[in-house]
Amino acid sequence: MRYHKIPDESIRRLPVYLRALLYFSQAGEKHVSSEKLAEFLHFNSSQIRKDFSYFGYFGTRGVGYDVDKLIRQTRNILKLENQRPTALVGAGNLGKALLAYEGFGIYGFDITAVFDNDPKKIGKKIGNVSIESVKKITDLPKRNISLGIVAVPTGAAQEATDMLVAADVTGILNFAPRHLNVPRKVKVITIDIAMELGRLPYYA
Amino acid sequence: MRYHKIPDESIRRLPVYLRALLYFSQAGEKHVSSEKLAEFLHFNSSQIRKDFSYFGYFGTRGVGYDVDKLIRQTRNILKLENQRPTALVGAGNLGKALLAYEGFGIYGFDITAVFDNDPKKIGKKIGNVSIESVKKITDLPKRNISLGIVAVPTGAAQEATDMLVAADVTGILNFAPRHLNVPRKVKVITIDIAMELGRLPYYA
DNA sequence: CGCTGTGAATCATTTCACAGCC
DNA sequence: GGCTGTGAAATGATTCACAGCG
């Protein structure tokens, strides 16, 4: 399977696996079977085996997967081995919530730069990061930052994105409820909170 | 098509269509073709036509779709015609950000109740909503609230969920990075922010 | 024996292509 | 003529089922 095209959906599940594996690791488990993992995540076990088989042979027949090894492999596939400095654009309510969000640590993201265009906010600190002017986004390459989070109002989102792209960012996590235009080489993932909520009443 | 099983993916796209249609409406457009909508959303036009055809015949051949009519139809399908009171559990950073988030208005969600278990927070106001004790969650049926948002730390998420379920909530938007156990009749949508970010480096 | 790894079968979704209606 | 609505074809993802290894 190693040379097949890997489904996008498999990639999407890898961070989920990683989180579950970290949980098992902390619980002191040495090995875990696809069945165990499937039960924990409410997935199908052969899907888990297939997902990992796309990337190589990670398990031991008769035994299962070595938890810590699989964690390393998964981190490796996702390119999360090293801590990744990340830039946040927008220091409003959402930006502040993201700065406080402990979840990023699991995947090694570290928000080391925060930008805003409100002069009143510039220079202030949130946690231990100082808010800088959006003009400083041009410095990102110097600071080795290639991931950005867009948490500005919808109307400013494309502009913020353009600045990140100009600073050679390769990935953007977007919270503005709109499509962002970027060059093909830049990957954008949009999280539209209200949109997710929007389909809930349908199922009720 | 009217009597076919409707793909989950189609439902997922309806809120996206709604947002785009509202944009066209505000721009003064009377009609929009599936082609126009597709271009705007970076979708395939026949997918849009098929999605709407699952629910009935909404367009006019040779003309396109009546924007305002389609907005009404879409709202109707998603059961968003009326303002929906919604409960938020967790008044931390994320909760505050959600309260300030303008996006909910588009879909008619109105956070009219906020609960937290921190006695220091209870009674305080955020915007024009007062924080109440989580014990008051039992009052939700009285207050006609059947949607809940879980924005508490991971360790408290299942407990918060259980309280919402006990109060006959039918839909839950979950921000805790874990699977929530609920009875089958309750629909849960989980947004795991860090997880989304977790696959960004893979594509870079 | 137990569990992985994986072709093959199934199931779901998307796209094509065009008949049919305005 | 133009655009919808939709079967049919193509594509993509999931699940089955079991061979093969530890």
Side-chain angles (χ1 to χ4, degrees), chain B residues 14-29:
Chain B
L14 288 184
V16 185
Y17 296 148
L18 179 54
R19 208 173 52 210
L21 289 165
L22 289 167
Y23 173 85
F24 279 107
S25 178
Q26 273 174 351
E29 305 280 339

PDB file of all heavy atoms in Angstrom, chain B residues 14-29:
ATOM      1  N   LEU B  14     -25.350  22.643   3.442  1.00  0.00           N
ATOM      2  CA  LEU B  14     -26.459  23.605   3.435  1.00  0.00           C
ATOM      3  C   LEU B  14     -26.146  24.910   4.170  1.00  0.00           C
ATOM      4  O   LEU B  14     -26.447  25.983   3.650  1.00  0.00           O
ATOM      5  CB  LEU B  14     -27.736  22.964   4.006  1.00  0.00           C
ATOM      6  CG  LEU B  14     -28.414  21.917   3.125  1.00  0.00           C
ATOM      7  CD1 LEU B  14     -29.704  21.442   3.778  1.00  0.00           C
ATOM      8  CD2 LEU B  14     -28.718  22.445   1.734  1.00  0.00           C
ATOM      9  N   PRO B  15     -25.556  24.860   5.354  1.00  0.00           N
ATOM     10  CA  PRO B  15     -25.220  26.130   6.008  1.00  0.00           C
ATOM     11  C   PRO B  15     -24.239  26.963   5.191  1.00  0.00           C
ATOM     12  O   PRO B  15     -24.293  28.193   5.236  1.00  0.00           O
ATOM     13  CB  PRO B  15     -24.574  25.684   7.329  1.00  0.00           C
ATOM     14  CG  PRO B  15     -25.100  24.322   7.585  1.00  0.00           C
ATOM     15  CD  PRO B  15     -25.256  23.712   6.217  1.00  0.00           C
ATOM     16  N   VAL B  16     -23.401  26.305   4.428  1.00  0.00           N
ATOM     17  CA  VAL B  16     -22.465  27.037   3.565  1.00  0.00           C
ATOM     18  C   VAL B  16     -23.242  27.769   2.482  1.00  0.00           C
ATOM     19  O   VAL B  16     -23.000  28.946   2.197  1.00  0.00           O
ATOM     20  CB  VAL B  16     -21.447  26.076   2.920  1.00  0.00           C
ATOM     21  CG1 VAL B  16     -20.411  26.847   2.132  1.00  0.00           C
ATOM     22  CG2 VAL B  16     -20.789  25.212   3.970  1.00  0.00           C
ATOM     23  N   TYR B  17     -24.198  27.050   1.882  1.00  0.00           N
ATOM     24  CA  TYR B  17     -25.030  27.673   0.863  1.00  0.00           C
ATOM     25  C   TYR B  17     -25.771  28.864   1.449  1.00  0.00           C
ATOM     26  O   TYR B  17     -25.865  29.924   0.846  1.00  0.00           O
ATOM     27  CB  TYR B  17     -26.057  26.674   0.312  1.00  0.00           C
ATOM     28  CG  TYR B  17     -25.456  25.498  -0.416  1.00  0.00           C
ATOM     29  CD1 TYR B  17     -26.082  24.262  -0.392  1.00  0.00           C
ATOM     30  CD2 TYR B  17     -24.262  25.620  -1.124  1.00  0.00           C
ATOM     31  CE1 TYR B  17     -25.543  23.172  -1.066  1.00  0.00           C
ATOM     32  CE2 TYR B  17     -23.713  24.530  -1.786  1.00  0.00           C
ATOM     33  CZ  TYR B  17     -24.362  23.312  -1.750  1.00  0.00           C
ATOM     34  OH  TYR B  17     -23.830  22.222  -2.416  1.00  0.00           O
ATOM     35  N   LEU B  18     -26.317  28.654   2.636  1.00  0.00           N
ATOM     36  CA  LEU B  18     -27.104  29.714   3.263  1.00  0.00           C
ATOM     37  C   LEU B  18     -26.270  30.984   3.409  1.00  0.00           C
ATOM     38  O   LEU B  18     -26.722  32.087   3.090  1.00  0.00           O
ATOM     39  CB  LEU B  18     -27.617  29.231   4.631  1.00  0.00           C
ATOM     40  CG  LEU B  18     -28.444  30.229   5.429  1.00  0.00           C
ATOM     41  CD1 LEU B  18     -29.620  30.762   4.612  1.00  0.00           C
ATOM     42  CD2 LEU B  18     -28.959  29.580   6.719  1.00  0.00           C
ATOM     43  N   ARG B  19     -25.063  30.809   3.866  1.00  0.00           N
ATOM     44  CA  ARG B  19     -24.206  31.977   4.061  1.00  0.00           C
ATOM     45  C   ARG B  19     -23.911  32.673   2.734  1.00  0.00           C
ATOM     46  O   ARG B  19     -23.967  33.898   2.634  1.00  0.00           O
ATOM     47  CB  ARG B  19     -22.898  31.550   4.728  1.00  0.00           C
ATOM     48  CG  ARG B  19     -22.290  32.650   5.547  1.00  0.00           C
ATOM     49  CD  ARG B  19     -21.115  32.132   6.298  1.00  0.00           C
ATOM     50  NE  ARG B  19     -20.198  31.452   5.401  1.00  0.00           N
ATOM     51  CZ  ARG B  19     -19.420  30.447   5.730  1.00  0.00           C
ATOM     52  NH1 ARG B  19     -19.426  29.999   6.961  1.00  0.00           N
ATOM     53  NH2 ARG B  19     -18.611  29.907   4.858  1.00  0.00           N
ATOM     54  N   ALA B  20     -23.647  31.879   1.710  1.00  0.00           N
ATOM     55  CA  ALA B  20     -23.365  32.450   0.396  1.00  0.00           C
ATOM     56  C   ALA B  20     -24.595  33.169  -0.154  1.00  0.00           C
ATOM     57  O   ALA B  20     -24.495  34.265  -0.711  1.00  0.00           O
ATOM     58  CB  ALA B  20     -22.917  31.358  -0.564  1.00  0.00           C
ATOM     59  N   LEU B  21     -25.766  32.558   0.050  1.00  0.00           N
ATOM     60  CA  LEU B  21     -27.006  33.150  -0.463  1.00  0.00           C
ATOM     61  C   LEU B  21     -27.294  34.476   0.223  1.00  0.00           C
ATOM     62  O   LEU B  21     -27.736  35.438  -0.415  1.00  0.00           O
ATOM     63  CB  LEU B  21     -28.173  32.178  -0.250  1.00  0.00           C
ATOM     64  CG  LEU B  21     -28.149  30.940  -1.151  1.00  0.00           C
ATOM     65  CD1 LEU B  21     -29.108  29.874  -0.638  1.00  0.00           C
ATOM     66  CD2 LEU B  21     -28.486  31.323  -2.589  1.00  0.00           C
ATOM     67  N   LEU B  22     -27.031  34.521   1.530  1.00  0.00           N
ATOM     68  CA  LEU B  22     -27.237  35.773   2.252  1.00  0.00           C
ATOM     69  C   LEU B  22     -26.307  36.853   1.691  1.00  0.00           C
ATOM     70  O   LEU B  22     -26.694  38.016   1.571  1.00  0.00           O
ATOM     71  CB  LEU B  22     -26.978  35.571   3.754  1.00  0.00           C
ATOM     72  CG  LEU B  22     -28.041  34.754   4.478  1.00  0.00           C
ATOM     73  CD1 LEU B  22     -27.565  34.336   5.865  1.00  0.00           C
ATOM     74  CD2 LEU B  22     -29.353  35.539   4.590  1.00  0.00           C
ATOM     75  N   TYR B  23     -25.120  36.445   1.327  1.00  0.00           N
ATOM     76  CA  TYR B  23     -24.176  37.378   0.720  1.00  0.00           C
ATOM     77  C   TYR B  23     -24.733  37.913  -0.600  1.00  0.00           C
ATOM     78  O   TYR B  23     -24.746  39.111  -0.851  1.00  0.00           O
ATOM     79  CB  TYR B  23     -22.841  36.679   0.504  1.00  0.00           C
ATOM     80  CG  TYR B  23     -21.851  37.503  -0.270  1.00  0.00           C
ATOM     81  CD1 TYR B  23     -21.040  38.434   0.368  1.00  0.00           C
ATOM     82  CD2 TYR B  23     -21.740  37.352  -1.659  1.00  0.00           C
ATOM     83  CE1 TYR B  23     -20.133  39.197  -0.360  1.00  0.00           C
ATOM     84  CE2 TYR B  23     -20.834  38.107  -2.389  1.00  0.00           C
ATOM     85  CZ  TYR B  23     -20.032  39.033  -1.735  1.00  0.00           C
ATOM     86  OH  TYR B  23     -19.153  39.779  -2.456  1.00  0.00           O
ATOM     87  N   PHE B  24     -25.251  37.014  -1.434  1.00  0.00           N
ATOM     88  CA  PHE B  24     -25.810  37.439  -2.722  1.00  0.00           C
ATOM     89  C   PHE B  24     -27.034  38.328  -2.516  1.00  0.00           C
ATOM     90  O   PHE B  24     -27.236  39.304  -3.233  1.00  0.00           O
ATOM     91  CB  PHE B  24     -26.184  36.221  -3.581  1.00  0.00           C
ATOM     92  CG  PHE B  24     -25.012  35.618  -4.300  1.00  0.00           C
ATOM     93  CD1 PHE B  24     -24.486  34.406  -3.896  1.00  0.00           C
ATOM     94  CD2 PHE B  24     -24.435  36.268  -5.381  1.00  0.00           C
ATOM     95  CE1 PHE B  24     -23.388  33.847  -4.558  1.00  0.00           C
ATOM     96  CE2 PHE B  24     -23.343  35.721  -6.052  1.00  0.00           C
ATOM     97  CZ  PHE B  24     -22.813  34.505  -5.629  1.00  0.00           C
ATOM     98  N   SER B  25     -27.823  37.961  -1.523  1.00  0.00           N
ATOM     99  CA  SER B  25     -29.023  38.754  -1.236  1.00  0.00           C
ATOM    100  C   SER B  25     -28.653  40.180  -0.854  1.00  0.00           C
ATOM    101  O   SER B  25     -29.225  41.155  -1.347  1.00  0.00           O
ATOM    102  CB  SER B  25     -29.829  38.082  -0.123  1.00  0.00           C
ATOM    103  OG  SER B  25     -30.971  38.859   0.198  1.00  0.00           O
ATOM    104  N   GLN B  26     -27.682  40.276   0.034  1.00  0.00           N
ATOM    105  CA  GLN B  26     -27.236  41.607   0.465  1.00  0.00           C
ATOM    106  C   GLN B  26     -26.635  42.409  -0.676  1.00  0.00           C
ATOM    107  O   GLN B  26     -26.708  43.638  -0.684  1.00  0.00           O
ATOM    108  CB  GLN B  26     -26.218  41.486   1.600  1.00  0.00           C
ATOM    109  CG  GLN B  26     -26.881  41.416   2.966  1.00  0.00           C
ATOM    110  CD  GLN B  26     -25.874  41.151   4.070  1.00  0.00           C
ATOM    111  OE1 GLN B  26     -24.711  40.862   3.813  1.00  0.00           O
ATOM    112  NE2 GLN B  26     -26.332  41.248   5.309  1.00  0.00           N
ATOM    113  N   ALA B  27     -26.033  41.696  -1.633  1.00  0.00           N
ATOM    114  CA  ALA B  27     -25.447  42.356  -2.788  1.00  0.00           C
ATOM    115  C   ALA B  27     -26.524  42.752  -3.798  1.00  0.00           C
ATOM    116  O   ALA B  27     -26.233  43.287  -4.868  1.00  0.00           O
ATOM    117  CB  ALA B  27     -24.412  41.444  -3.443  1.00  0.00           C
ATOM    118  N   GLY B  28     -27.779  42.481  -3.465  1.00  0.00           N
ATOM    119  CA  GLY B  28     -28.893  42.899  -4.304  1.00  0.00           C
ATOM    120  C   GLY B  28     -29.239  41.953  -5.440  1.00  0.00           C
ATOM    121  O   GLY B  28     -30.056  42.288  -6.299  1.00  0.00           O
ATOM    122  N   GLU B  29     -28.644  40.771  -5.460  1.00  0.00           N
ATOM    123  CA  GLU B  29     -28.930  39.822  -6.535  1.00  0.00           C
ATOM    124  C   GLU B  29     -30.314  39.195  -6.342  1.00  0.00           C
ATOM    125  O   GLU B  29     -30.626  38.729  -5.246  1.00  0.00           O
ATOM    126  CB  GLU B  29     -27.878  38.700  -6.551  1.00  0.00           C
ATOM    127  CG  GLU B  29     -26.440  39.166  -6.641  1.00  0.00           C
ATOM    128  CD  GLU B  29     -26.022  39.521  -8.054  1.00  0.00           C
ATOM    129  OE1 GLU B  29     -26.687  39.046  -8.998  1.00  0.00           O
ATOM    130  OE2 GLU B  29     -25.044  40.283  -8.206  1.00  0.00           O
TER     131      GLU B  29
END
